[in-house]
Amino acid sequence: SVSHHTKRKTLLVLAVSMVGFYAFFLFYNNFNNSSQEKIAGFNIPFKFIEYPDNDKIVPYTQFLNETGQDPKEYLLDLFSKYDIVVLCENLHSEDTQWDFIFDVVQDRRFIENVGNVFTEYGSVGEQAKVDSFMRKTIDNDTLLAKETATLTNFMANNFYLFMQKLYRLNQTLPDSLKIQEHFSDILNDNYLFDSYYDSLNKRQQYNPNRPYRDSLMAQIVIDWYHATKKKCLVVTNYRHAFVVNKTAQEKDKRAYRRYRDNEAQYIYNIFPQNTANVMLYGMGVKNVNVSALIQNGKWSRAFKNNHYLPVGFDFKDSPFGKDCFDRFPSFGRTQPFLYEDIFTGFIFYKPEQGWTHSTPYYRKYGAEEEYKWAVSNHLIDSVKGKMLINNYSNQGGLMANTERFPLYINSYHFMDLVIWGIWAVFIAIIVLIKSIILFVRRNR
């Protein structure tokens, strides 16, 4: 019949459209990306052509050629002007940033003049465990790796290795100069959280303090600084480190509401003259939960033109600082803040191609030790606990650099997506109209 013939034609058009759409992006992706990691034929990360080396890049490249410091020197110099320096991580799981952080921490100037590190990693309730760990005598690397695994359920290998390196560093220092590691999260990262009787011991989704997480993390630093007046480095991730400075707060009070509940914002509002925040180079987030290159790859291109040399600088009086702040999704709204409104400074330490992700070792050992402790204190359902232990392994190490499968979209070439998107909508409308017509005909 005519209706069946029309339906077959419609389905054929739809199938050809879908195959064409897939084939085009498969070719486009593979042509522009040499990654060996693949999903459904696509090289991952899904990366479009890099930002072109055009006139827009010139001011950024010139600035990098003429200005900026070694990133470690830049960060250490900030402590001559500020007591509290908040460092905004790249993706939590990225390894190499913690190599940089340890390079700062082991510097003699940091040891003698700062000596304190607060981290989002680790529950404040486990602080006694950390202090005990740092006082122990651990004879070899294997025992150290196992002991480190008992501190917390590390989500990534970077902080796990940092803690081991910090332990070794402290063993070389007199008590008066040992680095103090302060856990500051209010959420517990237990290995066996689903098997505890008391829901308050369970992970974040059960924690009644979760809505106040940032203010409570900030209060730990605030109370400590009030009591000691010492300098500290605060390492935290993404929005926790965002600060709208006083001038920008007045510029747009309504937009500021989105930022006022961030950990670093609370700290800054109490100690505005004593607090700086620095952004490590990382990914931005667009209008959906998709990682994307900052400024659509413009910054990345400038760093490439500068031979990817590590650099640190203040955002103020730099072309980078004048760019619209796009590390936070605007959901279609105009973003009133610039990078210099949100961060004091910036550090480029390594391009995205050099980032790595890995998993910690001895997680099963850590889970078994937690189980023994929880059973001895009658806190755990032993059957569930034993089942959860089997979810862990003592193996760890490097994974592909695709753990979170970031989608790098260069909007300089975004029209390709727009055109194909419009065409897909057009086809969908045709199919819908055809379906309605067929439905009406059948029901006459």
Side-chain angles (χ1 to χ4, degrees), residues 270-302:
I270 300 295
F271 310 117
Q273 303 304 316
N274 305 95
T275 304
N277 65 330
V278 177
M279 181 182 116
L280 283 177
Y281 178 58
M283 303 302 291
V285 176
K286 297 303 182 187
N287 291 334
V288 291
N289 189 23
V290 172
S291 298
L293 288 172
I294 291 171
Q295 295 297 306
N296 304 312
K298 186 166 56 175
W299 290 16
S300 180
R301 181 71 204 203

Side-chain angles (χ1 to χ4, degrees), residues 238-279:
Y238 191 52
R239 68 162 188 82
H240 303 303
F242 297 172
V243 170
V244 179
N245 63 42
K246 295 290 186 181
T247 303
Q249 288 179 29
E250 293 300 319
K251 181 169 67 175
D252 196 323
K253 293 180 180 179
R254 183 177 180 181
Y256 164 62
R257 293 175 191 168
R258 298 184 69 208
Y259 297 83
R260 63 187 179 186
D261 291 326
N262 297 333
E263 176 190 6
Q265 189 74 60
Y266 285 112
I267 297 170
Y268 169 83
N269 287 347
I270 300 295
F271 310 117
Q273 303 304 316
N274 305 95
T275 304
N277 65 330
V278 177
M279 181 182 116

Side-chain angles (χ1 to χ4, degrees), residues 111-212:
I111 293 170
E112 293 177 352
N113 301 320
V114 184
N116 291 279
V117 181
F118 287 81
T119 57
E120 180 187 343
Y121 282 115
S123 170
V124 65
E126 305 295 325
Q127 188 60 45
K129 190 187 292 185
V130 180
D131 296 339
S132 174
F133 168 78
M134 288 297 175
R135 290 192 299 267
K136 287 182 179 179
T137 301
I138 303 174
D139 295 330
N140 59 62
D141 291 345
T142 300
L143 288 177
L144 177 58
K146 287 183 174 182
E147 284 293 321
T148 309
T150 66
L151 296 178
T152 185
N153 183 5
F154 295 88
M155 70 171 289
N157 201 33
N158 48 25
F159 187 62
Y160 172 75
L161 293 178
F162 172 82
M163 290 297 290
Q164 292 179 45
K165 289 187 281 189
L166 186 60
Y167 171 85
R168 294 190 191 101
L169 173 63
N170 275 341
Q171 295 305 108
T172 69
L173 301 174
D175 289 347
S176 60
L177 291 178
K178 290 186 188 299
I179 303 297
Q180 301 298 308
E181 160 64 32
H182 305 268
F183 282 1
S184 61
D185 205 347
I186 55 107
L187 305 179
N188 286 329
D189 265 328
N190 298 322
Y191 287 99
L192 309 174
F193 56 86
D194 269 344
S195 59
Y196 283 94
Y197 294 128
D198 181 359
S199 63
L200 297 184
N201 281 324
K202 294 185 180 182
R203 208 173 180 180
Q204 50 195 4
Q205 60 265 39
Y206 302 101
N207 196 314
N209 292 321
R210 182 174 175 77
Y212 317 105

